Amino acid sequence: MSTSTIIERCNELFEDLDFTAAREWKAAEAGRKVIGFMPVYIPEEIIHAAGMLPLGVVGGGDQLEVIHGDAYYQSYICRIPRSTIELGVTKRLDFVDGMLFPSICDVIRNLSGMWKMLYPDVYVRYFDVPQNYLNDIGGEYYRHELEELRDGLAELNGNEITDEALNASIKIYNERRALVREIYAFRSETPWRAPAAEVYLLMRAGLVLPVEEHIVMMRDYLEAAIAEDRPMRDSCRVVISGSFCEQPPLNLIKSIEMSGCYIVDDDYLLVNRWLLEDVDADGDPLLNLALAFIHKSADTAAKYCTSKEDVGQFLLESVRNSNAEGVIFAAPSFCDPALLERPMLADRMSEHNIPHISFKYAENSGQMQPIREQAGTFADSIKLWS
Amino acid sequence: MKCFVGIDLGSTTTKAVVMDDNGQSLGHGITNSRSNYDTASKVAKMEALVSARLTMFRRALKSIDELNGMVDDVIDGLERNFRLELFLEQLGDLRQTCIKQVRQPGYTGQWDQLSEALDEIFNRLEQSLLALFAPGAERKSDFFRDLAGAEYMNVGEKVAAESGLAFDNLLNVYDKSIIEVENRPPETALAEKFLIALDRVFTERKIPADTQIVRSRIEEALGIDFEETYTVGTGYGRVRLPFPKEHIRSEILCHGLGAHLMYPKTRTVLDIGGQDTKGIQVDGNGIVANFQMNDRCAAGCGRYLGYIADEMNMGLHELGPMAMKATRTVRINSTCTVFAGAELRDRLSLGEKREDIIAGLHRAIILRAMSIISRSGGITDEFTFTGGVAKNEAAVKELRLLVNENYGDVTINIDPDSIYTGALGAAEFARRAGTGVPQSH
Amino acid sequence: MNTAAKTEVVKESSMVRQKEMIARNYDALTSTAETGKKVASTFVPGNLNELIMSFGMLNNLPEINAINNGMRRKSGMMIMDAERRGHSEDVCTYVKADIGQMSKGNIAPNGKPMPPPDLLLLSYTGCFTFMKWFELLRHEYGCETAMLHVPYTGDGVITDNMRNYVVKQLKEEVIPKLERVSGVKFDIDRLRENLRLSAQAEDDLVWVLQSARNVRSPIDAYFGGVYYIGPIFSAFRGTQEAVDYYRVLRGEIEERIKKGLGPITPEGDMPEEKYRLVVEGPPNWTSFREFWKMFYDEGAVVVSSTYTKVGGVYDLGFRHDPDNPIESLADYCLGCYTNRNLPTRVEMLENYIEEYQADGLLINSIKSCNSFSAGQLLMMQEVEKRTGKPAAFIETDLVDPRYFSAANVKNRLESYFQMVDQKRSAKAA
């Protein structure tokens, strides 16, 4: 299979605002349930172990016309909750049996309560994560949170979720995490052979497909990408930071690469690679998931940083590991966490002489000209300086 | 007879409605709001009284059998000639004011020359502008500034060239004078002008009735005194009206009531004006049950289209017809007025067709309006659309589509005179206050 | 939450007392170089004043500083200053006013420079921005930080897991840090005593806020309420001063009820009570007086507000408890208004409208504060549906003067009041 065939399929899934694939999965067998979740991270293993399909809901993109969603939000609030409500009001999520709202910011937090009021028959949970990283404090708290989630899903299903099932799911997700890491590493090494937009679509497919299918798809892609010969361009290497929640339009990702920047790392769709290493698949699965979160997970502005020195370290490492020459801070308009954190990250990059620029977008941004200009100028200036 | 006046002081136009004590609307008037709201409301009211007088004439002439089938023609002629009278009076005023301007110290040494040129200009203006009031002629606007201004530019440029004067000077003189003249409402008796106008009608055409009888009926109608019993002001500039507080109502209430009077089955009203967009829910008595307005952001108001028109170097009234030529609708995502300009340029540079982009912009403004309606509680049958944008066919087309998609088969009312909705509601409030009817009935 | 008003305003003795208390606190804060006292910076919601004081430390609240700067019309420049230095125009203006104040010498309202805090005590209660705010402060000050993660009550209840988590953090993280920074050993009896005083003042505060149940309310529970919550939401909860203040305040209001007086405003007693409203959301500070005037000029009295619950929802029964000191601090943090989920907030508003016999709900939606604002339009719909009372929505900001459009706000308020009138006369007829 060629990369283009795989990406075409990914693009179909991406453009399908009715989530047909997930609907079909659910319809294939009686009693199947689908659990939606928003960015940044949710332990999909628990949903998987319950025999349910985790469905990533990351807004409506630039093809959804938002009418009712706007009725619920003031102009100074980001776009993802509006388009998510639009998806709900227009019944595009009517097959979803549960919705999880991870702790990321006040807007998504409050959306959990709105969902409870709008859809009283749906299992709705605000999914909190610890901001304390000590095993017996944050770890203990989080383990209980995971238990509550497990029990909630078990009740929804009417079946207990066993540790065996959880460990089996952890194993599958370990497999996926390894592949995701491999693809990111491949792109970072030879970015012309795995364009950012393709990798994005491939990762995005993981949000709506059963993990087993996604694993096959990623394997096929990697194999095809390695086999294909694509021309290398004289582009500079950048890391994207700040796009961990509301997603940029695909055109924006393409525009950045077209204007001379290879994206060698990013924080799009972090759920696929939130846990940085394999999770121990033996023993107490919830404890293992909790410990992985506390000690071996990615960083975003939605996480508390325990010391001044640690702020920006994760990004710094990403720049180093991917041999990036610069950072593009691309955050959604009105994104509190990303925009509040940005001055600190920018300072950290400056300290280490890492060039950076920043701009804002919305998932439905229409004009790419300013983005192309900024990214192009950034690429030129990096080439000039190095 | 007792009459009641509602005045709606909008950001771009000021509207007035005159009502009798049975709640019958007798007439309405409109003028541009200018910088002086006081004058604007006076002029609008005068216009409404003129229109009310025409209603009286129409009633009076209906009793003459010979005029059966041509009352409207006679009334139209009467109005046209009356407007000509008014116009000539204002033009005379403008001439005097311009000549006075020329005597200002700034023009020392050239005032003879300038006065001469002005005389020439105004002589020609009187001739050329008379044609605007000929039977069957079409006028783009009834505002004095619009009619006189354009022609002054044409004629002035020619005269300046002929006499070797700097046109700039003549332009300055005009600019200063027009503001003065606009802010000076015509003072002379209106009755007299109507009678002169009537004589012109008689000379213009043959009337199949005894002109003496016609004249006496008209004189009788002129004899009816409009006793202004109560006035209520509303609209964006209402706090600047020289009215006591109890004579002021919020535009939301007035719009709700006005829409109810026009279409008693109205339950949802959408008004898109220059400054804001309102979604209003009313009950069976026209009482406002809920309302929402656009937030700080101007996207989705008439102003948005004005901005786009400027950006495209087009007239506001040209946007709708151009959008109707679209073969597809380009998706415009920026709800922000400023970004919409950037997106528009971006789309043009990508080779999209102008009409398709403009169609997209019309959809964008209506999408915003739909959100405001949704915020106020959605659409319940019947739905009434009012305001300046209701005259834009492309906007109406998108609205019909979206209403149907989201709320199904709903009766949509759009009155050609919907711009008077707020003033009509205000007039009804005035009538209730003036006749002691409870405010909610 | 004092105000440096431009013109002479009518003052009662409680107001004079409060003004002195706040001035004394600023003097204490700005003289730590001489007194050697240590300062903890912390937030209003979920602040641990009793605990901080038990270590002999002073409490500095950046939000209150921002409010002060807003009311004295200094915040606009500070915000723009922070924006010039790279802070986004999209984010909370409390944060930017605070950062702007630091860059301008960090001058307290008494004209003296504020000392850098010895500890940033981040009580992460009900607001995500708090966390980043303190990371930004730490970025500037480089001082010790204690993070108290207070989980959001997403299902509307405080679970044992949540309570244990907060208690554990208090015991194992916060208290040891306070000990270290202050050099004082933790004394639970001192904490108990402070909590006992808190509970006393809380009783009187609740009485004051509930006095608005009288039809012909003796208080305005939003614009006036902001003053009434001043001492207990800031550095005085758990002090004898606060107990005394609330005793005096209660006495004054008892007197007003006896005399049949309405709320006091900057222009004297309100002559009539035409509308009774419940208000959701914080006030605007830069045009506070102008905003208030739009209400009292129309005879509109706010009989209950949620803003007066951000520093503790005492009217629903919670009291600080000397017998369960740490647990009650945990419950206090977990129960603050913006830490409650939206269905609970809707329920509170619904109950306020019923209990306080209000004509309707008014939401002042604040651009800065997504914790409050995100979801308010749905809350409004729900409350309207459940109570049948009309609601209105206005938009302003906390301390950014660019986001207060007086004409716009007035227009909506007038429309709203007239709508209430119209509905009333329809009902009467």
Side-chain angles (χ1 to χ4, degrees):
Chain A
M1 213 183 294
S2 69
T3 52
S4 62
T5 323
I6 298 166
I7 295 306
E8 206 177 297
R9 164 80 178 130
C10 293
N11 198 50
E12 272 169 31
L13 292 168
F14 169 72
E15 284 179 355
D16 179 8
L17 292 169
D18 291 310
F19 304 100
T20 312
R23 283 176 190 273
E24 284 170 0
W25 178 88
K26 181 171 170 164
E29 236 175 75
R32 278 188 167 177
K33 291 199 162 56
V34 177
I35 305 293
F37 65 89
M38 292 201 66
V40 177
Y41 167 73
I42 213 78
E44 290 174 84
E45 289 88 343
I46 301 179
I47 302 168
H48 183 264
M52 303 176 182
L53 178 72
L55 175 75
V57 178
V58 289
D62 60 357
Q63 292 305 307
L64 183 71
E65 273 182 341
V66 170
I67 296 174
H68 304 287
D70 270 348
Y72 292 94
Y73 287 105
Q74 304 87 325
S75 55
Y76 50 78
I77 287 176
C78 57
R79 166 116 174 160
I80 182 170
R82 323 167 177 267
S83 56
T84 304
I85 289 216
E86 189 77 19
L87 290 174
V89 174
T90 53
K91 305 208 182 308
R92 288 175 164 102
L93 294 173
D94 58 1
F95 67 105
V96 172
D97 305 281
M99 272 295 276
L100 303 177
F101 298 86
S103 160
I104 170 155
C105 71
D106 295 328
V107 172
I108 301 299
R109 184 197 75 182
N110 286 8
L111 182 55
S112 71
M114 293 170 74
W115 216 267
K116 275 178 194 281
M117 289 192 275
L118 288 167
Y119 305 103
D121 298 331
V122 172
Y123 171 76
V124 176
R125 183 168 175 83
Y126 171 71
F127 180 74
D128 212 349
V129 295
Q131 305 284 9
N132 173 296
Y133 310 112
L134 298 174
N135 287 359
D136 68 329
I137 303 179
E140 181 71 17
Y141 164 70
Y142 186 52
R143 197 191 172 285
H144 276 108
E145 280 291 299
L146 296 179
E147 269 173 26
E148 282 177 31
L149 176 62
R150 181 196 60 193
D151 297 348
L153 294 179
E155 200 188 313
L156 192 64
N157 234 5
N159 290 320
E160 199 195 338
I161 302 170
T162 63
D163 282 2
E164 288 70 35
L166 283 164
N167 277 327
S169 297
I170 288 176
K171 248 182 230 143
I172 293 172
Y173 277 87
N174 277 343
E175 210 178 316
R176 171 159 91 173
R177 278 186 279 271
L179 259 171
V180 171
R181 284 197 299 270
E182 225 178 301
I183 287 168
Y184 264 77
F186 173 72
R187 179 181 71 172
S188 159
E189 227 162 273
T190 51
W192 58 94
R193 298 165 80 189
E198 288 188 10
V199 173
Y200 180 81
L201 287 171
L202 189 63
M203 294 301 141
R204 186 81 187 242
L207 266 57
V208 297
L209 290 180
V211 64
E212 295 81 0
E213 268 183 58
H214 191 221
I215 287 172
V216 173
M217 183 184 247
M218 285 196 295
R219 242 187 228 129
D220 291 347
Y221 177 83
L222 192 58
E223 208 173 281
I226 290 170
E228 266 170 52
D229 205 19
R230 299 200 208 192
M232 185 179 134
R233 290 175 60 194
D234 180 27
S235 289
C236 70
R237 302 166 59 87
V238 300
V239 171
I240 302 289
S241 170
S243 311
F244 48 83
C245 182
E246 179 175 323
Q247 297 295 293
L250 196 61
N251 259 337
L252 192 147
I253 301 175
K254 287 181 181 162
S255 295
I256 290 174
E257 289 216 325
M258 266 161 29
S259 46
C261 299
Y262 279 134
I263 297 175
V264 291
D265 201 1
D266 59 61
D267 55 4
Y268 306 139
L269 310 171
L270 279 175
V271 64
N272 290 335
R273 54 197 205 111
W274 180 257
L275 301 182
L276 300 172
E277 297 169 15
D278 282 357
V279 180
D280 202 345
D282 286 320
D284 179 347
L286 297 187
L287 181 66
N288 290 334
L289 282 171
L291 293 177
F293 182 96
I294 284 191
H295 300 295
K296 296 184 290 190
S297 61
D299 192 19
T300 69
K303 239 170 142 179
Y304 176 65
C305 223
T306 42
S307 78
K308 181 185 171 180
E309 292 67 35
D310 286 346
V311 177
Q313 281 304 327
F314 188 82
L315 179 58
L316 204 56
E317 271 163 43
S318 149
V319 170
R320 282 179 183 148
N321 293 341
S322 59
N323 286 316
E325 298 161 282
V327 172
I328 294 181
F329 291 110
S333 291
F334 303 107
C335 175
D336 278 341
L339 294 172
L340 282 163
E341 175 126 304
R342 184 190 277 175
M344 290 183 279
L345 294 180
D347 281 357
R348 182 68 80 225
M349 294 307 113
S350 299
E351 269 169 35
H352 291 83
N353 298 316
I354 297 165
H356 52 87
I357 52 164
S358 61
F359 53 74
K360 292 188 289 188
Y361 65 82
E363 63 177 13
N364 64 335
S365 288
Q367 71 273 36
M368 290 302 148
Q369 190 54 35
I371 308 270
R372 284 197 294 270
E373 254 163 51
Q374 285 179 74
T377 313
F378 186 55
D380 290 347
S381 72
I382 285 178
K383 277 180 227 154
L384 217 63
W385 283 104
S386 59
Chain B
M1 68 188 289
K2 279 190 177 173
C3 70
F4 306 89
V5 184
I7 295 177
D8 177 2
L9 204 45
S11 59
T12 43
T13 54
T14 297
K15 285 77 67 176
V17 165
V18 176
M19 189 180 265
D20 67 15
D21 55 3
N22 291 320
Q24 281 292 319
S25 169
L26 297 174
H28 49 60
I30 184 167
T31 185
N32 47 338
S33 286
R34 312 175 168 86
S35 51
N36 186 334
Y37 283 168
D38 203 6
T39 311
S41 66
K42 262 190 207 147
V43 173
K45 187 167 81 182
M46 187 207 79
E47 289 287 347
L49 287 169
V50 165
S51 143
R53 191 62 73 188
L54 291 168
T55 304
M56 293 292 133
F57 293 158
R58 190 171 281 117
R59 286 182 188 172
L61 296 186
K62 284 226 166 109
S63 62
I64 303 176
D65 291 341
E66 295 90 329
L67 287 181
N68 193 6
M70 64 173 305
V71 171
D72 285 348
D73 282 359
V74 176
I75 297 291
D76 285 352
L78 198 50
E79 182 179 5
R80 181 165 42 76
N81 282 297
F82 171 79
R83 297 224 169 266
L84 172 62
E85 277 307 300
L86 270 185
F87 181 79
L88 288 176
E89 183 183 285
Q90 274 192 299
L91 197 62
D93 188 8
L94 183 63
R95 180 198 286 247
Q96 293 307 318
T97 312
C98 283
I99 288 176
K100 240 186 270 163
Q101 273 291 337
V102 165
R103 288 168 196 256
Q104 299 294 317
Y107 303 108
T108 323
Q110 37 175 336
W111 76 266
D112 271 345
Q113 239 186 323
L114 282 171
S115 307
E116 233 171 80
L118 282 171
D119 265 332
E120 184 54 32
I121 293 174
F122 278 98
N123 287 341
R124 292 194 202 174
L125 276 182
E126 269 173 32
Q127 289 313 309
S128 61
L129 290 172
L130 267 180
L132 285 176
F133 293 90
E138 243 185 67
R139 295 183 299 278
K140 269 189 181 172
S141 157
D142 268 332
F143 298 160
F144 178 68
R145 175 193 274 267
D146 296 344
L147 293 183
E151 196 58 13
Y152 184 95
M153 301 299 141
N154 284 338
V155 176
E157 221 160 4
K158 277 182 209 137
V159 172
E162 288 163 19
S163 55
L165 277 167
F167 177 58
D168 274 3
N169 279 341
L170 288 169
L171 195 63
N172 279 338
V173 167
Y174 169 82
D175 280 345
K176 288 206 177 103
S177 307
I178 187 75
I179 294 173
E180 255 186 67
V181 172
E182 250 188 343
N183 285 332
R184 207 158 35 223
E187 294 294 344
T188 16
L190 299 177
E192 206 176 291
K193 290 197 181 67
F194 274 121
L195 291 175
I196 296 174
L198 186 64
D199 286 339
R200 285 186 196 257
V201 171
F202 289 155
T203 51
E204 267 174 15
R205 61 185 302 165
K206 180 117 187 62
I207 304 287
D210 184 339
T211 52
Q212 275 316 310
I213 293 175
V214 173
R215 172 179 274 274
S216 71
R217 289 286 152 81
I218 292 288
E219 278 172 345
E220 273 165 38
L222 276 170
I224 300 168
D225 186 30
F226 287 140
E227 189 190 324
E228 282 175 43
T229 311
Y230 206 98
T231 302
V232 162
T234 186
Y236 189 74
R238 63 182 182 273
V239 283
R240 294 170 64 179
L241 285 171
F243 294 177
K245 213 177 138 201
E246 61 274 18
H247 286 249
I248 291 179
R249 291 289 184 289
S250 108
E251 69 235 54
I252 303 279
L253 264 65
C254 291
H255 261 91
L257 186 56
H260 167 78
L261 293 176
M262 286 176 169
Y263 302 99
K265 286 184 182 158
T266 297
R267 288 298 176 274
T268 306
V269 186
L270 169 68
D271 178 78
I272 308 184
Q275 282 286 341
D276 52 35
T277 299
K278 314 181 218 355
I280 307 171
Q281 308 289 342
V282 292
D283 68 10
N285 296 312
I287 296 177
V288 174
N290 202 332
F291 69 92
Q292 286 293 322
M293 294 162 81
N294 59 308
D295 46 33
R296 287 174 38 82
C297 175
C301 308
R303 189 58 51 94
Y304 178 88
L305 286 178
Y307 182 87
I308 297 304
D310 288 350
E311 192 76 24
M312 299 289 257
N313 220 352
M314 292 169 69
L316 186 57
H317 60 280
E318 295 170 276
L319 286 181
M322 168 157 275
M324 293 302 282
K325 289 189 204 141
T327 47
R328 56 184 284 268
T329 304
V330 170
R331 186 182 302 256
I332 300 291
N333 284 325
S334 297
T335 48
C336 170
T337 309
V338 182
F339 287 157
E343 187 162 350
L344 187 143
R345 287 189 296 274
D346 211 24
R347 299 280 182 199
L348 278 174
S349 73
L350 288 173
E352 300 273 14
K353 282 195 283 182
R354 245 155 63 119
E355 53 265 37
D356 296 349
I357 300 174
I358 291 180
L361 289 161
H362 279 82
R363 185 166 177 90
I365 182 177
I366 296 300
L367 279 170
R368 287 288 295 173
M370 290 298 291
S371 292
I372 288 163
I373 297 174
S374 172
R375 196 181 275 196
S376 75
I379 290 178
T380 313
D381 208 14
E382 296 173 359
F383 172 61
T384 300
F385 181 28
T386 68
V389 177
K391 282 199 181 297
N392 180 318
E393 51 182 333
V396 169
K397 185 181 141 208
E398 286 299 336
L399 183 78
R400 286 189 188 282
L401 272 174
L402 282 164
V403 168
N404 193 274
E405 267 170 40
N406 284 278
Y407 299 100
D409 202 11
V410 171
T411 305
I412 301 177
N413 306 311
I414 302 172
D415 190 298
D417 283 335
S418 81
I419 199 162
Y420 297 104
T421 310
L424 178 66
E428 173 64 9
F429 275 122
R431 190 184 70 88
R432 289 175 186 181
T435 55
V437 176
Q439 290 292 301
S440 55
H441 278 252
Chain C
M1 304 191 185
N2 66 335
T3 168
K6 284 173 303 213
T7 49
E8 247 343 281
V9 298
V10 181
K11 280 203 162 69
E12 293 206 282
S13 106
S14 63
M15 298 183 195
V16 178
R17 189 181 276 257
Q18 174 168 177
K19 205 173 170 196
E20 287 167 4
M21 285 160 74
I22 285 162
R24 268 204 306 283
N25 190 49
Y26 274 118
D27 286 341
L29 281 169
T30 54
S31 58
T32 50
E34 297 91 69
T35 59
K37 288 228 175 214
K38 303 284 187 193
V39 176
S41 275
T42 193
F43 292 115
V44 169
N47 79 68
L48 303 169
N49 203 43
E50 300 88 347
L51 189 65
I52 293 169
M53 288 191 308
S54 78
F55 290 94
M57 290 176 74
L58 299 171
N59 163 341
N60 173 39
L61 298 150
E63 293 145 291
I64 307 284
N65 300 338
I67 292 171
N68 264 301
N69 286 321
M71 286 181 127
R72 292 181 301 146
R73 296 185 179 255
K74 289 185 167 178
S75 53
M77 288 302 292
M78 293 170 172
I79 292 164
M80 284 194 268
D81 193 63
E83 287 175 0
R84 271 195 296 277
R85 297 195 301 136
H87 294 270
S88 170
E89 63 267 33
D90 292 355
V91 301
C92 173
T93 55
Y94 270 173
V95 179
K96 287 181 284 187
D98 190 27
I99 285 166
Q101 177 182 323
M102 284 171 69
S103 72
K104 292 201 173 342
N106 216 0
I107 304 300
N110 63 4
K112 295 176 191 161
M114 224 31 136
D118 299 287
L119 177 71
L120 294 167
L121 174 51
L122 171 53
S123 56
Y124 170 68
T125 296
C127 167
F128 196 93
T129 294
F130 282 163
M131 188 169 92
K132 292 291 132 184
W133 187 349
F134 264 31
E135 284 188 20
L136 284 162
L137 291 183
R138 183 179 63 191
H139 190 69
E140 303 269 338
Y141 287 121
C143 69
E144 178 121 35
T145 313
M147 161 68 157
L148 176 65
H149 177 207
V150 177
Y152 181 66
T153 56
D155 287 334
V157 287
I158 299 175
T159 63
D160 288 346
N161 187 34
M162 292 174 186
R163 185 180 295 112
N164 293 340
Y165 178 43
V166 177
V167 165
K168 240 185 194 170
Q169 291 178 80
L170 285 170
K171 284 184 177 162
E172 292 173 36
E173 291 263 291
V174 176
I175 290 175
K177 270 200 179 136
L178 282 164
E179 284 183 323
R180 194 159 66 239
V181 171
S182 66
V184 175
K185 186 106 195 66
F186 175 54
D187 176 356
I188 199 161
D189 291 325
R190 207 168 155 191
L191 175 63
R192 286 184 205 276
E193 174 56 18
N194 292 344
L195 292 170
R196 194 184 56 76
L197 292 170
S198 293
Q200 271 183 41
E202 285 156 7
D203 281 342
D204 281 335
L205 171 72
V206 170
W207 187 92
V208 167
L209 294 176
Q210 290 182 339
S211 70
R213 284 179 175 164
N214 286 290
V215 176
R216 185 67 170 138
S217 168
I219 63 161
D220 182 286
Y222 186 55
F223 298 102
V226 157
Y227 293 89
Y228 305 145
I229 58 174
I232 203 158
F233 279 14
S234 63
F236 299 94
R237 204 182 66 227
T239 65
Q240 186 60 45
E241 278 169 299
V243 172
D244 296 344
Y245 167 84
Y246 285 101
R247 203 31 55 81
V248 170
L249 179 63
R250 181 174 173 160
E252 282 170 6
I253 288 161
E254 277 169 347
E255 202 58 29
R256 297 191 80 80
I257 296 173
K258 238 183 265 162
K259 290 184 183 153
L261 291 175
I264 190 163
T265 76
E267 294 179 47
D269 295 327
M270 254 180 91
E272 70 172 327
E273 177 182 285
K274 264 176 85 182
Y275 312 100
R276 296 169 64 84
L277 304 176
V278 170
V279 174
E280 146 79 10
N284 162 275
W285 300 107
T286 47
S287 300
F288 185 79
R289 285 272 296 276
E290 190 183 359
F291 192 27
W292 191 353
K293 194 172 162 56
M294 290 177 194
F295 286 72
Y296 63 72
D297 278 355
E298 296 281 343
V301 179
V302 181
V303 289
S304 185
S305 68
T306 52
Y307 182 66
T308 51
K309 317 291 152 55
V310 287
V313 185
Y314 300 111
D315 58 339
L316 298 191
F318 171 81
R319 292 290 180 277
H320 282 90
D321 178 6
D323 295 331
N324 296 295
I326 308 287
E327 291 74 12
S328 94
L329 283 175
D331 280 354
Y332 161 70
C333 290
L334 286 159
C336 284
Y337 180 68
T338 51
N339 207 51
R340 294 176 181 237
N341 73 355
L342 262 61
T344 310
R345 283 168 63 184
V346 166
E347 220 166 275
M348 279 175 73
L349 288 168
E350 183 193 352
N351 290 338
Y352 285 155
I353 287 174
E354 304 296 339
E355 284 169 25
Y356 289 76
Q357 300 178 53
D359 295 302
L361 170 70
L362 180 80
I363 295 183
N364 184 35
S365 180
I366 291 290
K367 174 196 172 255
S368 275
C369 193
N370 286 339
S371 175
F372 258 106
S373 305
Q376 276 175 331
L377 283 155
L378 179 63
M379 289 171 64
M380 178 173 78
Q381 276 182 22
E382 275 295 312
V383 172
E384 275 186 319
K385 202 164 70 189
R386 293 188 198 180
T387 62
K389 299 273 171 71
F393 200 80
I394 52 177
E395 291 176 55
T396 69
D397 188 45
L398 297 167
V399 290
D400 191 340
R402 293 170 297 185
Y403 282 85
F404 188 85
S405 161
N408 195 311
V409 171
K410 200 167 185 324
N411 187 8
R412 284 170 204 222
L413 283 177
E414 273 179 19
S415 300
Y416 179 62
F417 294 142
Q418 290 179 16
M419 184 170 96
V420 172
D421 271 343
Q422 210 185 23
K423 281 196 166 180
R424 258 193 210 152
S425 65
K427 215 172 174 185

